Amino acid sequence: MITVFGSINMDLVARVLAIAKPGETVLSRRADSFFGGKGANQAVAAARVSGGRIAVAMAGAIGDDAFGKACRDNLAANGVDVDGIRIADEPTGCAFITVDERGENAITVASGANMAVHTAQVPGEILAKTSILVLQMEVPLAENIAVARWAKQMSARVIWNAAPVPAGAEKGAVADMLAVTDLLVVNEHEAITVAAMIGDNAGGDYLVAASRLAHTYSLTCIVTAGAKGAFAVDADGTQIHAAAPPVTPVDTTGAGDTFVGVLAYGLAEGRELQDAMQRACIAASLSCLTAGAQAGMPSRDRLEATLSA
């Protein structure tokens, strides 16, 4: 089983010619709503490529409101086990996203119920079956650390997507999280930032940052680099590269989450890291062809058809 412990949001998306600069107002013709939250996105991505072959469970929190009910129903409709989702006293998380004509995005997240997520809400019977635990940074870091330690005691592998990197996170807490991480997934900027947070200046080179993080904490650091694909660095310095197929993106929102979810599924079904990364890169590229974080996430059939082609 893959268990995703993390955020559940409703995304409100506006398309603009250019993303607003500080103090600037830009106009958009309309705003559309999409299901999101990095945790929910990663759970949906994993469940879609699984097609029911491996169970995917979501543990998170929603508000007692229409957005929360819709988000829970959407996860269930995508084949995700929702027994670990609880109702909090805060409103359901909401993300405000602007997407420019090149497909680039800027995102502001109102966390709401996501800050009320607790390790204790994860059903013990679910964690006992978990082979892969997936974490992100849209819920309290202390809860991530606690559930990761619990999962490690149960012999699960921990994938930590350190995104978004929290401003002001304490060095000790970040180090504690890295100590219970098997695979750290970051983009180029996040790799450098996380390395700096634990006192390692990588000189602006994300592969140097990845190498030092991997060596210091005996983990595998995977850096997603957009059109350049993804790079993995092991603790012994071994590097792996997976290429990304060229696409003309409509919306890059959710591409990183697609990568993480499909990577988690690939590892859960026993694939080698190179193969799992390659499939994740292709899935992430496919997700960029449709607006919305989850809308373009490929099914198992679509991913297999693309691989065959």
Side-chain angles (χ1 to χ4, degrees):
M1 173 179 279
I2 299 166
T3 298
V4 181
F5 180 82
S7 56
I8 302 169
N9 290 332
M10 184 65 78
D11 293 348
L12 301 178
V13 181
R15 303 194 70 83
V16 295
L17 289 176
I19 294 169
K21 302 179 182 67
E24 180 183 19
T25 298
V26 297
L27 298 179
S28 176
R29 187 174 64 85
R30 57 182 280 178
D32 296 301
S33 60
F34 300 94
F35 297 109
K38 294 188 73 63
N41 290 344
Q42 292 169 9
V44 168
R48 284 193 185 165
V49 295
S50 170
R53 289 164 175 81
I54 294 176
V56 178
M58 179 77 213
I62 54 176
D64 187 12
D65 49 40
F67 278 173
K69 182 181 185 304
C71 288
R72 183 187 175 104
D73 290 349
N74 172 68
L75 285 162
N78 276 281
V80 178
D81 183 325
V82 296
D83 287 348
I85 297 175
R86 73 179 188 93
I87 305 296
D89 292 332
E90 297 288 339
T92 300
C94 194
F96 306 91
I97 303 170
T98 51
V99 183
D100 69 17
E101 60 184 354
R102 298 172 300 171
E104 294 299 325
N105 61 66
I107 305 173
T108 299
V109 178
S111 298
N114 293 313
M115 288 295 105
V117 173
H118 295 291
T119 303
Q121 76 188 66
V122 184
E125 61 271 20
I126 286 181
L127 202 53
K129 299 175 184 176
T130 298
S131 62
I132 302 284
L133 175 70
V134 182
L135 307 166
Q136 326 79 38
M137 293 298 287
E138 291 182 335
V139 299
L141 180 56
E143 300 301 324
N144 271 345
I145 295 170
V147 75
R149 286 173 174 165
W150 187 13
K152 293 290 284 183
Q153 291 175 3
M154 306 293 284
S155 300
R157 296 173 77 182
V158 175
I159 298 176
W160 180 31
N161 177 209
V165 177
E170 294 183 0
K171 174 182 176 180
V174 174
D176 286 346
M177 188 67 240
L178 291 166
V180 287
T181 297
D182 295 295
L183 288 95
L184 173 67
V185 182
V186 285
N187 65 23
E188 305 105 305
H189 308 295
E190 292 158 356
I192 294 167
T193 302
V194 172
M197 292 175 79
I198 53 97
D200 196 331
N201 183 357
D205 188 320
Y206 60 85
L207 286 179
V208 170
S211 179
R212 290 177 179 172
L213 287 166
H215 176 73
T216 301
Y217 292 95
S218 298
L219 52 80
T220 298
C221 184
I222 299 175
V223 183
T224 57
K228 296 188 289 290
F231 301 84
V233 185
D234 284 334
D236 64 2
T238 302
Q239 291 191 21
I240 298 172
H241 175 243
V247 296
T248 301
V250 172
D251 183 0
T252 58
T253 308
D257 295 333
T258 302
F259 179 92
V260 173
V262 176
L263 175 73
Y265 175 73
L267 295 175
E269 67 174 350
R271 294 184 182 274
E272 294 295 328
L273 183 59
Q274 171 82 58
D275 187 18
M277 286 173 57
Q278 190 62 67
R279 294 169 69 88
C281 281
I282 293 171
S285 294
L286 290 173
S287 76
C288 295
L289 302 179
T290 305
Q294 295 180 16
M297 290 178 173
S299 65
R300 184 179 185 88
D301 289 345
R302 186 183 180 202
L303 179 57
E304 294 299 337
T306 303
L307 287 163
S308 297

